[in-house]
Amino acid sequence: MRRRVNVIVSLFVVLSMLLTACATPAAPPAAPPADSAAGDATEAAPVEVPEGVTRVAYWHSMAGDIGGKSIPKLASDFNASQDSCFVEPTYQGSYDDSLNKLRAGLQSNDIPAIVQLYDIATRLMVDLKVATPIQDFMDAENYDTSDFEPNVLAYYTVDGKQYSMPFNTSTPLLYYNKDMFAAAGLDPEVAPRTFAEVADYAAKLTQRDASGNVTVSGGAFAIYGWFVEQFLAVSGGLYADNGNGRDAAATTATFNGPEGVRILEWWKEMYDAGNFGNYGRTTVDTRNAFLAGQTAMFIDSTAVLRGMIDGSAGKFELGTGWLPRPDEAAFENAGTIIGGASLWILNGRPQEEQQCAWEFIKFVSEPAQQAFWHTESGYFPIRKAGYDEPLAVEWRTKYPQFGTAVEQLHAAPNNRVTQGALIGVFPTARQTVETAIEEVLAGQATPQEALDNAAAAVTQAIADYNLTMGQ
């Protein structure tokens, strides 16, 4: 066992070196995940549990009210529902922080039974073999997943096996200012659907002063790699070869194909025309510009919808639309990829802790808990029955904009494009793509040149990763 732990730790160290080597030195750190909460969470002091009750450590990366209130309530309700297990949630910082703490904990076996990790850690976790697949627990009791959202489960399914349970799940939306639409002569109830429509709307929404200086941009996208992945998916393009790394281990980045080039050409044209703003990589900066009336449209995760509704209240009416596609045909055969994070059960903990971890995961996946989580956090329920709970029905009646997100999720096909890519170097791949976007907007490279260079760097990182993993 000790030898296996040493091998895992060595792999983490080597992979950290690979990620650092692949990163562009001049690039600033990547923005935190679009749906990751920020700030400190309030944690309860350790509680003494009765003898015979199994204590289960649960590491999470949800802060603010979500991490300080909603997650502790879910744990408390579970603990009160039975007398064999006691789940103790602890905030570990950002997704990256949690992954780094897991790496350090593996050496000393200071690890939890349950850990929440972001979507792009999936390939790494599967390859490291430090988790017991959720599928093992499902199979042991013939657990029924027929009510679960298939596209949500699919992301965390590798080689036909469910490795982790989706927890906080989101997709991107187009957000727009209905008041600005009306003032520009646009129908405030109709969002632009295609790339061409976004460009047309942006031109009509852009406002300039007497000197021709832009005072309100028609739209703005944060320079965030996740958005490119999503635009690529709704364009029907793959991020990596071998079916996005799901038919076999990915060997080559393919986001520099015609679909990817078209995305950056479209983005660059709107920017050069002065109709699109640029507020950098940090997604919150673009959100703040929108709330301040500096831009009329932007894209972001469905997870920020509740905050955007609250933030725009009393200022303007908020509209939501599906993520724009290259053309109408793309609405029939492509769709968004789910983002967020999932819950993993670590196999380095005793079997009784792992079983309690599974019992907790089942508990939070029940419709009532999913409705609570959905209404408190803004994330999707991972099962359909969660939408039918009175709490969820009432919430969507109050916030009808969320219906856009649900419709978009249900309309997406379940295929290799929408299941998302599986590569072990995803964090660095995102930074590399973000650097490519910056080069294009600055006129330092054409979209094809920038994406070719980025794809070559990511392909090399994938090769190094596969070599380290013995693939």
Side-chain angles (χ1 to χ4, degrees), residues 43-274:
E43 297 293 346
V47 177
E48 292 295 327
V49 300
E51 185 176 351
V53 175
T54 301
R55 183 189 294 272
V56 175
Y58 165 27
W59 288 4
H60 69 86
S61 295
M62 298 282 97
D65 285 344
I66 297 176
K69 297 178 182 178
S70 303
I71 287 181
K73 178 171 174 28
L74 287 171
S76 177
D77 288 350
F78 169 73
N79 295 338
S81 72
Q82 43 72 52
D83 56 10
S84 300
C85 311
F86 185 89
V87 169
E88 192 169 28
T90 307
Y91 176 66
Q92 298 296 328
S94 70
Y95 292 140
D96 287 329
D97 291 338
S98 190
L99 190 59
N100 287 333
K101 289 179 181 179
L102 176 60
R103 177 185 65 187
L106 284 167
Q107 193 164 16
S108 60
N109 201 36
D110 181 18
I111 57 174
I114 311 171
V115 61
Q116 177 200 24
L117 293 173
Y118 54 7
D119 48 358
I120 58 176
T122 301
R123 178 78 269 170
L124 177 62
M125 287 296 289
V126 171
D127 291 341
L128 289 175
K129 298 179 173 61
V130 296
T132 301
I134 294 292
Q135 192 71 52
D136 292 0
F137 298 96
M138 289 179 170
D139 292 345
E141 58 185 69
N142 294 317
Y143 185 71
D144 184 10
T145 60
S146 60
D147 182 53
F148 284 68
E149 296 280 8
N151 285 24
V152 174
L153 286 181
Y155 190 100
Y156 303 102
T157 301
V158 183
D159 298 328
K161 183 178 292 189
Q162 193 76 43
Y163 270 86
S164 60
M165 183 65 86
F167 182 56
N168 51 302
T169 300
S170 61
T171 58
L173 285 179
L174 175 76
Y175 294 82
Y176 67 94
N177 184 318
K178 285 189 173 183
D179 293 3
M180 287 187 180
F181 268 48
L186 299 169
D187 186 342
E189 302 305 321
V190 179
R193 289 167 56 89
T194 66
F195 286 1
E197 287 179 350
V198 170
D200 178 57
Y201 279 43
K204 293 175 180 176
L205 290 162
T206 298
Q207 300 176 32
R208 292 176 168 83
D209 61 21
S211 301
N213 299 312
V214 174
T215 56
V216 176
S217 65
F221 299 153
I223 299 176
Y224 185 27
W226 187 57
F227 296 158
V228 173
E229 294 154 35
Q230 295 290 346
F231 279 128
L232 191 65
V234 297
S235 301
L238 293 172
Y239 195 88
D241 66 349
N242 294 329
N244 258 343
R246 292 183 177 272
D247 297 328
T251 63
T252 305
T254 59
F255 53 73
N256 59 327
E259 298 89 356
V261 172
R262 185 177 182 182
I263 294 164
L264 293 199
E265 287 177 342
W266 165 62
W267 195 338
K268 170 70 167 171
E269 288 169 2
M270 293 186 293
Y271 178 74
D272 284 351

Side-chain angles (χ1 to χ4, degrees), residues 15-59:
L15 287 170
S16 295
M17 294 171 63
L18 291 177
L19 296 182
T20 302
C22 179
T24 304
D35 54 3
S36 177
D40 295 328
T42 302
E43 297 293 346
V47 177
E48 292 295 327
V49 300
E51 185 176 351
V53 175
T54 301
R55 183 189 294 272
V56 175
Y58 165 27
W59 288 4

Side-chain angles (χ1 to χ4, degrees), residues 241-411:
D241 66 349
N242 294 329
N244 258 343
R246 292 183 177 272
D247 297 328
T251 63
T252 305
T254 59
F255 53 73
N256 59 327
E259 298 89 356
V261 172
R262 185 177 182 182
I263 294 164
L264 293 199
E265 287 177 342
W266 165 62
W267 195 338
K268 170 70 167 171
E269 288 169 2
M270 293 186 293
Y271 178 74
D272 284 351
N275 299 328
F276 244 62
N278 177 13
Y279 298 95
R281 297 192 185 194
T282 306
T283 54
V284 69
D285 290 340
T286 302
R287 293 200 294 271
N288 288 340
F290 176 76
L291 290 175
Q294 297 170 8
T295 188
M297 299 183 291
F298 78 111
I299 58 169
D300 210 323
S301 167
T302 53
V304 308
L305 176 54
R306 176 70 175 272
M308 298 310 298
I309 292 173
D310 292 342
S312 60
K315 298 178 181 178
F316 57 84
E317 188 174 357
L318 180 72
T320 54
W322 288 19
L323 190 71
R325 324 284 157 110
D327 49 48
E328 284 293 335
F331 284 87
E332 301 297 326
N333 53 27
T336 54
I337 308 167
I338 64 102
S342 62
L343 301 180
W344 296 78
I345 298 177
L346 299 183
N347 58 26
R349 300 306 302 169
Q351 189 58 46
E352 60 268 22
E353 290 187 24
Q354 294 186 51
Q355 186 60 43
C356 278
W358 168 238
E359 295 301 326
F360 174 70
I361 287 174
K362 285 194 297 182
F363 176 82
V364 299
S365 300
E366 287 298 312
Q369 280 69 254
Q370 282 298 297
F372 168 78
W373 177 244
H374 166 58
T375 56
E376 289 292 312
S377 68
Y379 291 106
F380 291 114
I382 64 172
R383 58 190 306 165
K384 300 166 188 173
Y387 293 110
D388 299 329
E389 293 287 315
L391 184 64
V393 173
E394 179 184 355
W395 192 79
R396 289 198 311 281
T397 301
K398 184 177 180 180
Y399 301 111
Q401 294 95 333
F402 196 81
T404 307
V406 177
E407 292 167 3
Q408 178 178 249
L409 173 68
H410 290 163

